């Protein structure tokens, strides 16, 4: 029941009915990561999506000298690891809890079972995740255009 209550608070699940949330909760794990705990290492299989319910996760990549550089931060209300999960790729960064972090976790195994048991609900979940990815891509595109305009002095007339 705790997982259902946590899912209700997660923005990605706002368009799901109570019945759908209860069903999805059956496929989710819940874990608390203490500050400093690694959720995944760069190069780990992308076999989980982390729905950050509370807390903050830093994403790190090594610089040319091997020193960790924070390249992004995922806050509460953010799914994490979805690109590796759906592309069947390895994680391209290391995820570390920047403070105590509570996460609902969907494993590949859980997602495969959901697809078998309720394909409609699996598609609905996939569509909501795709919406989040599209929003992130739009935001990154805007930042890229803004940076390009800044570097090159804006559009030429």
């Amino acid at each position: 029941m705790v997982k259902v209550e946590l899912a209700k608070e997660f923005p990605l699940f706002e368009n799901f009915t109570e019945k759908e949330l209860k069903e999805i909760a059956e496929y989710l794990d819940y874990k608390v990561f203490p500050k400093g705990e690694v959720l995944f290492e760069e190069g780990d299989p992308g076999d989980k999506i982390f729905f950050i319910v509370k807390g903050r996760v830093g994403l790190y990549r090594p610089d040319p000298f091997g020193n960790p550089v924070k390249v992004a931060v995922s806050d509460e209300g953010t799914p994490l690891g979805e690109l590796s999960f759906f592309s069947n790729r390895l994680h391209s960064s290391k995820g570390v809890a920047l403070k105590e972090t509570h996460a609902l976790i969907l494993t590949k195994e859980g997602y495969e079972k959901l697809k078998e048991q309720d394909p409609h609900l699996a598609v609905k979940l996939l569509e909501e995740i795709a919406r989040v990815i599209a929003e992130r891509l739009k935001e990154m595109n805007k930042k890229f255009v803004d940076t390009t305009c800044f570097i090159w002095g804006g559009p030429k007339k």
Side-chain angles (χ1 to χ4, degrees):
M1 202 55 157
V2 169
K3 291 186 286 187
V4 173
E5 294 306 313
L6 291 171
K8 280 182 186 177
E9 296 175 24
F10 199 83
L12 185 124
F13 297 115
E14 66 188 11
N15 295 320
F16 289 75
T17 66
E18 182 82 19
K19 181 178 180 260
E20 289 171 330
L21 288 173
K22 285 180 182 174
E23 186 174 345
I24 284 179
E26 293 176 29
Y27 302 96
L28 296 173
D29 296 321
Y30 173 69
K31 185 169 180 186
V32 177
F33 296 90
K35 179 180 179 179
E37 185 169 336
V38 174
L39 283 73
F40 51 84
E41 293 280 354
E42 179 179 358
D44 281 353
D47 57 358
K48 297 176 187 76
I49 299 176
F50 300 85
F51 300 100
I52 308 302
V53 177
K54 180 181 177 187
R56 192 166 218 222
V57 177
L59 299 173
Y60 296 86
R61 298 224 357 132
D63 68 13
F65 304 103
N67 301 309
V69 175
K70 190 187 310 175
V71 294
V73 174
S74 289
D75 290 306
E76 357 187 300
T78 307
L80 182 61
E82 73 286 350
L83 295 179
S84 298
F85 186 89
F86 287 113
S87 66
N88 293 315
R89 303 282 176 143
L90 302 177
H91 284 287
S92 60
S93 61
K94 176 180 182 176
V96 180
L98 298 177
K99 61 182 183 178
E100 183 177 88
T101 299
H102 300 242
L104 293 168
I105 303 167
L106 177 64
T107 63
K108 272 278 195 206
E109 182 182 328
Y111 184 67
E112 293 301 322
K113 286 180 185 175
L114 176 61
K115 285 193 319 189
E116 252 179 52
Q117 299 296 318
D118 191 340
H120 174 74
L121 188 55
V123 167
K124 185 173 181 175
L125 177 60
L126 180 60
E127 288 174 343
E128 288 298 317
I129 292 171
R131 183 182 54 77
V132 169
I133 293 170
E135 287 171 7
R136 286 184 186 162
L137 187 57
K138 280 177 148 179
E139 186 178 312
M140 288 175 57
N141 188 47
K142 182 185 179 323
K143 286 179 181 177
F144 174 77
V145 169
D146 290 349
T147 302
T148 302
C149 287
F150 176 77
I151 291 171
W152 297 105
K156 304 293 182 217
K157 295 183 180 185

